[in-house]
Amino acid sequence: MNFSLKMLLATLVIAIAACSSVPDDWSNMSSEDIATWKQAGFAPEEAQTWKQEGFTARQGADWKIAGFELDDAQDWQSEQFTATEARSWVDGGFSLKEAKDNRTKGLMPISEQSTDTADADADADADADADADADADADADSMMESEEQDMSEMSGEEDMSEHTEGDMSESEALDEE
């Protein structure tokens, strides 16, 4: 091996070692950063690693909640997927490459949850339709009763149930005279 190749290798080893050294405490972070990473559920070394790789506490938390380790999160994020989108594709049985190719075609994964949601929406629509039909029937019945009452009043008929004993109609009073 020649000298320049040895120097290049040595430099690379030192650079990699320097980059891979992550503090195992909260050093080099502001108190605000520390609070945010803690609130997101990260231990000091884990927070330092995710931060060093360019993630915010919110992004890191999203990827962790979606079930991704840092390496996978980096891969998916580098292809402009959010944690939620990536989870949908993975749940649909797709690799990152397949997801990327299908997304380029304008396709989206169909997950079990989305079909459950569609079924629930269909059930809700059917219930709403049944409620609307029942309301329409009740309104029609009410209108018919109201029209019958109006017709009765117009023809001069009275509902005798409204009179108490001892009340006399006008015609009864005339008959007594």
Side-chain angles (χ1 to χ4, degrees), residues 50-118:
W50 282 78
K51 184 176 180 180
Q52 188 176 40
E53 295 302 325
F55 289 90
T56 65
R58 178 77 246 156
Q59 291 169 328
D62 288 346
W63 285 100
K64 279 183 66 175
I65 290 168
F68 290 89
E69 296 295 325
L70 177 59
D71 292 340
D72 291 328
Q74 287 175 301
D75 293 341
W76 284 89
Q77 186 164 307
S78 72
E79 295 298 336
Q80 308 306 311
F81 285 93
T82 65
T84 304
E85 292 169 336
R87 179 81 271 151
S88 294
W89 285 102
V90 169
D91 288 348
F94 295 91
S95 68
L96 174 57
K97 182 186 179 331
E98 292 168 329
K100 183 179 157 191
D101 292 344
N102 283 309
R103 184 178 66 176
T104 301
K105 296 174 189 173
L107 302 174
M108 294 291 296
I110 297 176
S111 68
E112 184 112 359
Q113 183 178 8
S114 65
T115 56
D116 289 347
T117 302

Side-chain angles (χ1 to χ4, degrees), residues 14-44:
I14 292 171
I16 290 172
C19 289
S20 67
S21 63
V22 176
D24 61 357
D25 59 12
W26 295 109
S27 62
N28 301 323
M29 290 182 125
S30 69
S31 59
E32 186 178 315
D33 278 348
I34 293 168
T36 304
W37 283 99
K38 279 183 174 181
Q39 185 178 9
F42 286 84

